[in-house]
Amino acid sequence: KWITNPRMILLVLLMAFIYNFAVEPLLLNAERMEEKLNLLEPFIAIINSPITLLFIPLVFLSLIADYPVTDGNAILYIHRIGRIDWLIAQLVLLLLMTITYLTIVFVSSCISVLFHSHISSEWSVVVTEFEHTFPDLPGNFGAQLLPKNLYNQLSLTDALMQSIFLVFTYLFIIGLLLLMFTLIKKKILIQLKQYHKKNAMIKVLM
């Protein structure tokens, strides 16, 4: 039900925004240097940018706004399977939704640079050498997406794994908050706040 929910159209809007905001500037820098990006670099840039990290959780919150589903039949199957089993099932569902969401973002970012990238465990020269090659372009936005402190202090693999872990934890906690508010019967408050944030986000994307 979650995957086929009409709200999934928000993912299309998010992917379009991410491409224009984060992927396209990196591709432009790669074209200037006549080099290829690492296939994983756009995704690392996406989940480390303060701007995209504002929209990614908001879209996720919009997609799981009715989590956990407590429709007319909920009382019957909760009573049948037991509260503990129902709670465990909701946690498993949240885990799968979070993994699915991040996987979609990851795959879409890889596809967008598939023909302009290579696969390796090292940062590309587009990221590490752009400012040295083009000193006349200070403050280049594509270069700022992957700042020096990221690629100088962490290997590409470490940056990828740590970023995924932190964003995954962030999204999972959002789902846990929804579950907690449902259990204490205060979910209507967070739904109202989420509704106003979603409307504001859609206006920005449009």
Side-chain angles (χ1 to χ4, degrees), residues 105-155:
V105 176
F106 173 75
V107 171
S108 63
S109 68
C110 291
I111 291 176
S112 64
V113 296
L114 188 61
F115 300 107
H116 307 280
S117 63
H118 65 276
I119 301 176
S120 74
S121 59
E122 302 294 333
W123 296 99
S124 69
V125 294
V126 178
V127 171
T128 59
E129 303 296 332
F130 183 83
E131 291 186 347
H132 298 291
T133 307
F134 295 95
D136 56 331
L137 293 175
N140 177 270
F141 184 70
Q144 292 176 352
L145 287 170
L146 291 167
K148 291 181 179 180
N149 64 332
L150 187 62
Y151 59 79
N152 283 334
Q153 298 177 18
L154 293 173
S155 66

XYZ file of all heavy atoms in Angstrom, residues 105-155:
405
model
N 16.560 6.953 -3.771
C 17.401 8.144 -3.928
C 18.777 7.756 -4.460
O 19.326 8.415 -5.361
C 17.534 8.896 -2.592
C 18.494 10.077 -2.734
C 16.172 9.393 -2.116
N 19.342 6.673 -3.926
C 20.665 6.215 -4.345
C 20.658 5.792 -5.814
O 21.524 6.213 -6.601
C 21.107 5.050 -3.470
C 22.389 4.398 -3.914
C 23.602 5.008 -3.692
C 22.364 3.174 -4.567
C 24.783 4.407 -4.100
C 23.535 2.567 -4.984
C 24.747 3.186 -4.750
N 19.702 4.969 -6.207
C 19.647 4.458 -7.583
C 19.415 5.598 -8.569
O 20.058 5.654 -9.630
C 18.544 3.388 -7.717
C 18.338 3.009 -9.179
C 18.900 2.158 -6.898
N 18.525 6.508 -8.239
C 18.241 7.618 -9.158
C 19.463 8.515 -9.329
O 19.728 9.013 -10.432
C 17.049 8.438 -8.652
O 17.346 9.037 -7.408
N 20.226 8.723 -8.247
C 21.431 9.562 -8.365
C 22.491 8.870 -9.217
O 23.208 9.524 -9.977
C 21.979 9.880 -6.974
O 22.498 8.719 -6.347
N 22.592 7.549 -9.097
C 23.562 6.800 -9.907
C 23.166 6.786 -11.376
O 24.015 6.953 -12.262
C 23.697 5.366 -9.384
S 24.504 5.236 -7.761
N 21.879 6.598 -11.634
C 21.405 6.565 -13.021
C 21.637 7.906 -13.708
O 21.987 7.965 -14.886
C 19.916 6.177 -13.067
C 19.738 4.713 -12.653
C 19.331 6.409 -14.458
C 18.296 4.270 -12.575
N 21.483 8.988 -12.961
C 21.609 10.319 -13.562
C 23.029 10.624 -14.038
O 23.219 11.509 -14.874
C 21.154 11.387 -12.560
O 21.998 11.392 -11.425
N 24.046 9.902 -13.517
C 25.429 10.146 -13.952
C 26.055 8.884 -14.533
O 27.274 8.800 -14.671
C 26.297 10.652 -12.772
C 25.793 11.995 -12.275
C 26.339 9.630 -11.639
N 25.218 7.928 -14.893
C 25.720 6.614 -15.298
C 26.698 6.681 -16.461
O 27.713 5.976 -16.483
C 24.535 5.705 -15.659
C 24.854 4.236 -15.929
C 25.474 3.587 -14.704
C 23.592 3.488 -16.348
N 26.422 7.537 -17.441
C 27.263 7.611 -18.642
C 28.350 8.682 -18.526
O 29.056 8.950 -19.499
C 26.390 7.882 -19.860
C 25.359 6.804 -20.099
C 24.018 7.033 -19.827
C 25.736 5.556 -20.553
C 23.063 6.042 -20.035
C 24.804 4.558 -20.768
C 23.461 4.804 -20.498
N 28.464 9.290 -17.347
C 29.489 10.323 -17.141
C 30.301 10.022 -15.886
O 30.781 10.948 -15.227
C 28.828 11.703 -17.017
C 27.916 12.050 -18.141
N 28.367 12.521 -19.357
C 26.560 11.945 -18.253
C 27.331 12.721 -20.162
N 26.231 12.378 -19.519
N 30.446 8.731 -15.575
C 31.108 8.376 -14.328
C 31.870 7.064 -14.464
O 31.725 6.344 -15.456
C 30.071 8.259 -13.199
O 29.148 7.214 -13.482
N 32.665 6.778 -13.463
C 33.353 5.503 -13.367
C 33.175 4.977 -11.950
O 32.736 5.709 -11.057
C 34.848 5.662 -13.685
C 35.566 6.505 -12.676
N 35.577 7.895 -12.739
C 36.290 6.172 -11.573
C 36.284 8.367 -11.739
N 36.726 7.353 -11.006
N 33.507 3.732 -11.735
C 33.366 3.118 -10.414
C 34.747 2.841 -9.842
O 35.561 2.169 -10.472
C 32.564 1.803 -10.501
C 31.173 2.059 -11.076
C 32.441 1.165 -9.120
C 30.366 0.793 -11.277
N 35.002 3.371 -8.661
C 36.252 3.102 -7.954
C 36.048 3.437 -6.489
O 34.996 3.943 -6.085
C 37.409 3.925 -8.538
O 37.293 5.275 -8.151
N 37.071 3.171 -5.689
C 37.001 3.465 -4.257
C 37.694 4.779 -3.915
O 37.893 5.095 -2.738
C 37.645 2.329 -3.451
O 39.004 2.164 -3.829
N 38.055 5.556 -4.935
C 38.758 6.817 -4.732
C 37.905 7.987 -5.221
O 37.070 7.842 -6.109
C 40.095 6.811 -5.494
C 41.031 5.675 -5.108
C 41.530 5.788 -3.688
O 41.593 6.928 -3.171
O 41.849 4.742 -3.086
N 38.145 9.146 -4.609
C 37.481 10.360 -5.076
C 37.972 10.690 -6.479
O 39.128 10.461 -6.817
C 37.784 11.532 -4.143
C 37.263 11.385 -2.750
C 37.962 10.987 -1.647
C 35.935 11.639 -2.300
N 37.164 10.981 -0.545
C 35.912 11.383 -0.903
C 34.764 12.070 -2.932
C 34.754 11.524 -0.136
C 33.612 12.224 -2.163
C 33.605 11.953 -0.792
N 37.108 11.243 -7.286
C 37.492 11.612 -8.645
C 38.290 12.916 -8.632
O 38.197 13.714 -7.693
C 36.242 11.776 -9.520
O 35.502 12.913 -9.120
N 39.035 13.138 -9.684
C 39.797 14.388 -9.793
C 38.867 15.577 -9.982
O 39.255 16.719 -9.711
C 40.807 14.312 -10.961
C 41.872 13.279 -10.693
C 40.095 14.027 -12.285
N 37.654 15.332 -10.431
C 36.674 16.414 -10.549
C 36.402 17.027 -9.184
O 36.229 18.240 -9.056
C 35.361 15.889 -11.170
C 34.321 17.000 -11.252
C 35.609 15.279 -12.530
N 36.393 16.209 -8.158
C 36.139 16.681 -6.803
C 37.404 17.234 -6.156
O 37.398 18.315 -5.567
C 35.555 15.541 -5.936
C 35.481 15.950 -4.469
C 34.179 15.148 -6.452
N 38.505 16.514 -6.284
C 39.716 16.867 -5.538
C 40.565 17.954 -6.202
O 41.288 18.676 -5.513
C 40.589 15.620 -5.321
O 40.934 15.057 -6.596
C 39.830 14.573 -4.513
N 40.481 18.082 -7.525
C 41.385 18.998 -8.225
C 40.676 20.160 -8.912
O 41.340 20.963 -9.572
C 42.188 18.228 -9.288
C 42.998 17.067 -8.748
C 44.088 17.541 -7.790
O 44.554 18.688 -7.939
O 44.459 16.755 -6.901
N 39.379 20.273 -8.764
C 38.663 21.309 -9.526
C 39.126 22.709 -9.150
O 39.371 23.547 -10.028
C 37.149 21.180 -9.299
C 36.348 22.160 -10.099
C 36.017 21.900 -11.415
C 35.944 23.370 -9.546
C 35.293 22.819 -12.168
C 35.226 24.289 -10.289
C 34.888 24.011 -11.608
N 39.242 22.982 -7.852
C 39.612 24.339 -7.429
C 41.036 24.686 -7.852
O 41.344 25.848 -8.099
C 39.454 24.469 -5.917
C 37.993 24.431 -5.476
C 37.840 24.707 -3.986
O 38.877 24.668 -3.268
O 36.705 24.960 -3.548
N 41.917 23.686 -7.932
C 43.286 23.943 -8.392
C 43.322 24.153 -9.900
O 44.110 24.958 -10.407
C 44.205 22.780 -8.017
C 44.311 22.557 -6.540
N 44.944 23.434 -5.700
C 43.845 21.549 -5.757
C 44.883 22.975 -4.457
N 44.213 21.835 -4.468
N 42.470 23.445 -10.615
C 42.444 23.564 -12.071
C 41.761 24.846 -12.515
O 42.158 25.459 -13.517
C 41.703 22.352 -12.679
O 42.289 21.151 -12.178
C 41.807 22.362 -14.199
N 40.755 25.279 -11.772
C 40.003 26.487 -12.126
C 40.004 27.464 -10.949
O 38.974 27.673 -10.307
C 38.563 26.132 -12.511
C 38.442 25.299 -13.748
C 38.352 23.911 -13.666
C 38.421 25.897 -15.005
C 38.240 23.148 -14.806
C 38.314 25.133 -16.155
C 38.227 23.753 -16.052
N 41.159 28.067 -10.655
C 41.210 29.027 -9.540
C 40.424 30.296 -9.824
O 40.151 31.074 -8.904
C 42.712 29.318 -9.407
C 43.262 29.044 -10.773
C 42.449 27.911 -11.327
N 40.070 30.508 -11.097
C 39.304 31.701 -11.465
C 37.811 31.519 -11.235
O 37.019 32.402 -11.560
C 39.545 32.045 -12.935
C 39.228 30.885 -13.864
O 39.365 29.724 -13.412
O 38.835 31.141 -15.020
N 37.426 30.382 -10.662
C 36.011 30.131 -10.366
C 35.837 29.923 -8.861
O 35.459 28.842 -8.400
C 35.498 28.895 -11.125
C 35.407 29.003 -12.639
C 35.000 27.669 -13.242
C 34.410 30.091 -13.043
N 36.109 30.974 -8.058
C 35.973 30.811 -6.601
C 34.506 30.644 -6.213
O 33.612 31.230 -6.810
C 36.549 32.123 -6.055
C 36.334 33.117 -7.155
C 36.487 32.340 -8.444
N 34.287 29.831 -5.215
C 32.925 29.636 -4.742
C 32.052 28.844 -5.692
O 30.822 28.975 -5.649
N 32.674 28.050 -6.571
C 31.890 27.233 -7.495
C 30.950 26.321 -6.710
O 31.362 25.609 -5.801
C 32.835 26.403 -8.362
C 32.095 25.465 -9.296
O 31.809 24.340 -8.955
N 31.784 25.955 -10.494
N 29.659 26.346 -7.079
C 28.661 25.614 -6.296
C 28.887 24.110 -6.359
O 28.730 23.409 -5.353
C 27.255 25.954 -6.787
C 26.170 25.312 -5.970
C 25.926 25.734 -4.682
C 25.408 24.280 -6.487
C 24.939 25.148 -3.909
C 24.415 23.682 -5.730
C 24.186 24.120 -4.444
N 29.253 23.593 -7.526
C 29.495 22.161 -7.642
C 30.622 21.702 -6.737
O 30.562 20.624 -6.134
N 31.678 22.531 -6.623
C 32.797 22.190 -5.739
C 32.390 22.253 -4.268
O 32.885 21.490 -3.440
C 33.977 23.119 -6.002
N 31.465 23.147 -3.931
C 31.023 23.288 -2.545
C 30.151 22.125 -2.088
O 30.013 21.890 -0.884
C 30.259 24.607 -2.375
C 31.134 25.837 -2.530
C 30.342 27.125 -2.447
O 29.106 27.113 -2.422
N 31.040 28.247 -2.402
N 29.554 21.399 -3.037
C 28.703 20.273 -2.659
C 29.499 19.181 -1.951
O 28.968 18.466 -1.098
C 28.022 19.700 -3.904
C 26.893 20.542 -4.496
C 26.478 19.989 -5.853
C 25.699 20.584 -3.559
N 30.755 19.022 -2.338
C 31.654 18.066 -1.680
C 32.862 18.849 -1.175
O 33.873 18.966 -1.861
C 32.075 16.963 -2.649
C 30.961 15.980 -3.056
C 31.389 15.144 -4.250
C 30.602 15.080 -1.884
N 32.775 19.409 0.016
C 33.826 20.305 0.519
C 35.121 19.572 0.840
O 35.170 18.347 0.957
C 33.193 20.895 1.796
C 32.201 19.872 2.230
C 31.665 19.263 0.958
N 36.180 20.352 1.024
C 37.511 19.787 1.248
C 37.566 18.932 2.503
O 38.244 17.905 2.521
C 38.539 20.917 1.364
C 38.794 21.666 0.067
C 39.842 22.741 0.283
C 40.124 23.493 -1.005
N 41.146 24.548 -0.814
N 36.901 19.372 3.566
C 36.994 18.612 4.813
C 36.375 17.225 4.691
O 36.665 16.342 5.498
C 36.331 19.387 5.960
C 34.839 19.580 5.735
O 34.381 19.622 4.606
N 34.083 19.705 6.809
N 35.545 17.017 3.665
C 34.947 15.699 3.466
C 35.924 14.759 2.768
O 36.232 13.679 3.270
C 33.653 15.825 2.654
C 32.822 14.551 2.504
C 32.349 14.067 3.864
C 31.632 14.785 1.587
N 36.451 15.189 1.608
C 37.322 14.276 0.866
C 38.764 14.268 1.363
O 39.537 13.375 1.011
C 37.275 14.543 -0.638
C 37.683 15.938 -1.086
C 39.020 16.304 -1.185
C 36.723 16.864 -1.470
C 39.398 17.561 -1.625
C 37.087 18.128 -1.922
C 38.421 18.466 -1.989
O 38.778 19.710 -2.426
N 39.157 15.254 2.196
C 40.498 15.220 2.773
C 40.567 14.384 4.044
O 41.627 13.841 4.382
C 40.980 16.641 3.087
C 41.428 17.378 1.835
O 41.825 16.752 0.851
N 41.362 18.698 1.863
N 39.468 14.278 4.756
C 39.469 13.575 6.030
C 38.906 12.158 5.950
O 39.186 11.341 6.819
C 38.661 14.377 7.060
C 39.235 15.741 7.357
C 38.379 16.535 8.327
O 37.544 15.990 9.030
N 38.586 17.840 8.357
N 38.099 11.890 4.923
C 37.475 10.574 4.808
C 37.713 10.002 3.420
O 37.712 10.745 2.431
C 35.964 10.673 5.053
C 35.499 11.054 6.463
C 33.996 11.280 6.461
C 35.870 9.978 7.476
N 37.901 8.702 3.368
C 37.915 8.044 2.066
C 36.503 8.036 1.514
O 35.525 8.262 2.243
C 38.424 6.607 2.199
O 37.503 5.821 2.955
